[in-house]
């Protein structure tokens, strides 16, 4: 059975890079491997359409299983709480790579600053996967004079990530390609509004409320200001997200997976009670 989490299209990368070569190879392997699998499942409806287009049999959507980190991580850093307690904190979690479009998040912060929203921070959290893009991103931040407002954390451990989520007021993604979007689910569990550009598997992970059909920094900054100035809109979004998260509970996904295996004639072993 093939488990498909999507492959970033190679056109996002320069032809002379390893990422381009590997993503192109991955797509070629996906296109030519149907005969090896009795079934396949994807974690989003977007990825499912690709499997069907390539002719994979018995294809189904089974979202990724994630856990509520808040229940198993020690309390967040008090130093971080104190340092950023007075600012409005926006975060994005994902590798520093061009298809994630972190530079467009920087443009949103610049737009907010131009609209006299001064006490604001953007945290770009994630390891560097594309050095050239990281170098451009640093230059872009400096060129817009936003070094105090935009923080590049690089890779962080689980406790640090928990602290960033805990301190965040809003999660924003303008990524051009997401096979699913686990950080969207993680952020929703911390009771903050989550907004993401509508592409790929984002709709499966996020649901309808919070999907952005535009990327204009001016329009996105207006949306953020509206949430900042109208608490009832923030509450409305969080209420929807709590309901949407019920689609990703452990028991529901476990039952869906068992039913899928059963539909393929696979016997589910009963765990020992010893």
């Amino acid at each position: 059975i093939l488990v498909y989490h999507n492959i970033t299209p190679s056109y996002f990368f320069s032809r002379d890079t390893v990422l381009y070569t590997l993503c192109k190879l991955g797509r070629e392997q996906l296109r030519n491997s149907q005969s090896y699998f009795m079934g396949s499942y994807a974690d989003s409806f977007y990825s499912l359409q690709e499997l069907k287009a390539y002719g994979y049999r018995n294809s189904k959507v089974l979202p990724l299983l994630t856990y509520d980190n808040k229940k198993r991580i020690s309390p967040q850093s008090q130093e971080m709480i104190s340092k950023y307690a007075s600012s409005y904190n926006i975060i994005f979690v994902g590798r520093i790579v061009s298809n994630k479009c972190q530079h467009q998040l920087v443009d949103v912060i610049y737009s907010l600053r131009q609209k006299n929203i001064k006490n604001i921070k953007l945290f770009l959290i994630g390891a560097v996967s594309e050095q050239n893009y990281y170098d451009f991103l640093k230059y872009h931040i400096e060129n817009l004079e936003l070094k105090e407002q935009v923080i590049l954390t690089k890779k962080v451990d689980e406790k640090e990530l928990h602290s960033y989520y805990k301190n965040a007021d809003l999660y924003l993604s303008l990524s051009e390609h997401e096979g699913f979007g686990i950080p969207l689910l993680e952020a929703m569990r911390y009771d903050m509004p989550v907004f993401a550009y509508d592409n790929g598997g984002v709709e499966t992970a996020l649901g309808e409320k919070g999907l952005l059909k535009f990327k204009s920094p001016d329009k996105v900054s207006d949306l953020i200001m509206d949430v900042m100035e109208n608490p009832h809109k923030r509450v409305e979004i969080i209420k929807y997200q709590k309901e949407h998260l019920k689609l990703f509970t452990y028991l529901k996904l476990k039952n869906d997976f068992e039913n899928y295996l059963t539909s393929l004639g696979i016997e589910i072993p009963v765990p020992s009670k010893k």
Side-chain angles (χ1 to χ4, degrees), residues 50-115:
E50 291 190 358
L51 291 179
K52 288 185 174 181
Y54 286 132
Y56 281 84
R57 296 175 293 164
N58 300 315
S59 298
K60 182 179 177 62
V61 173
L62 288 171
L64 291 173
L65 176 62
T66 63
Y67 295 93
D68 189 345
N69 291 347
K70 292 189 297 181
K71 295 179 179 178
R72 58 192 181 93
I73 300 178
S74 57
Q76 70 275 16
S77 165
Q78 293 302 314
E79 179 183 353
M80 186 183 296
I81 291 176
S82 300
K83 187 174 182 179
Y84 301 115
S86 62
S87 57
Y88 190 88
N89 302 317
I90 299 173
I91 66 168
F92 172 78
V93 179
R95 296 174 298 117
I96 303 296
V97 63
S98 51
N99 63 280
K100 300 289 186 183
C101 298
Q102 283 95 336
H103 66 285
Q104 294 179 339
L105 301 176
V106 175
D107 292 339
V108 172
I109 299 302
Y110 181 76
S111 178
L112 286 166
R113 295 276 292 173
Q114 295 297 105
K115 294 172 182 177

Side-chain angles (χ1 to χ4, degrees), residues 42-228:
D43 51 32
S44 68
F45 288 100
Y46 166 72
S47 294
L48 176 66
Q49 297 311 310
E50 291 190 358
L51 291 179
K52 288 185 174 181
Y54 286 132
Y56 281 84
R57 296 175 293 164
N58 300 315
S59 298
K60 182 179 177 62
V61 173
L62 288 171
L64 291 173
L65 176 62
T66 63
Y67 295 93
D68 189 345
N69 291 347
K70 292 189 297 181
K71 295 179 179 178
R72 58 192 181 93
I73 300 178
S74 57
Q76 70 275 16
S77 165
Q78 293 302 314
E79 179 183 353
M80 186 183 296
I81 291 176
S82 300
K83 187 174 182 179
Y84 301 115
S86 62
S87 57
Y88 190 88
N89 302 317
I90 299 173
I91 66 168
F92 172 78
V93 179
R95 296 174 298 117
I96 303 296
V97 63
S98 51
N99 63 280
K100 300 289 186 183
C101 298
Q102 283 95 336
H103 66 285
Q104 294 179 339
L105 301 176
V106 175
D107 292 339
V108 172
I109 299 302
Y110 181 76
S111 178
L112 286 166
R113 295 276 292 173
Q114 295 297 105
K115 294 172 182 177
N116 209 36
I117 305 297
K118 303 296 184 184
N119 196 17
I120 193 161
K121 302 285 186 184
L122 170 65
F123 298 89
L124 300 177
I125 304 162
V128 178
S129 291
E130 192 177 358
Q131 186 63 45
N132 288 345
Y133 181 66
Y134 177 75
D135 293 340
F136 160 73
L137 193 58
K138 286 178 62 179
Y139 171 79
H140 191 52
I141 293 166
E142 293 172 6
N143 191 47
L144 294 178
E145 299 182 350
L146 293 174
K147 289 182 69 175
E148 297 297 318
Q149 287 74 39
V150 182
I151 294 92
L152 292 160
T153 71
K154 292 192 175 179
K155 188 175 183 178
V156 300
D157 62 28
E158 199 169 13
K159 183 177 180 181
E160 290 174 301
L161 180 60
H162 169 68
S163 297
Y164 283 115
Y165 275 130
K166 191 74 174 177
N167 280 354
D169 296 289
L170 184 140
Y171 186 98
L172 178 63
S173 170
L174 295 177
S175 173
E176 285 282 354
H177 181 267
E178 294 291 334
F180 182 67
I182 284 181
L184 301 176
L185 290 183
E186 291 178 342
M188 283 190 279
R189 291 194 172 108
Y190 286 83
D191 293 343
M192 74 182 85
V194 178
F195 294 101
Y197 181 62
D198 185 10
N199 80 91
V202 167
E203 184 174 4
T204 300
L206 184 58
E208 294 181 0
K209 193 177 288 291
L211 285 179
L212 302 179
K213 303 294 184 180
F214 50 82
K215 298 184 96 179
S216 158
D218 187 56
K219 292 181 71 173
V220 175
S221 62
D222 281 345
L223 177 67
I224 292 172
M225 289 174 64
D226 190 32
V227 173
M228 292 173 69

Side-chain angles (χ1 to χ4, degrees), residues 2-7 27 30 41-43 47-48 50-51:
L2 174 70
V3 183
Y4 185 47
H5 181 59
N6 213 271
I7 300 167
R27 288 273 170 179
L30 181 68
Y41 66 88
D43 51 32
S47 294
L48 176 66
E50 291 190 358
L51 291 179

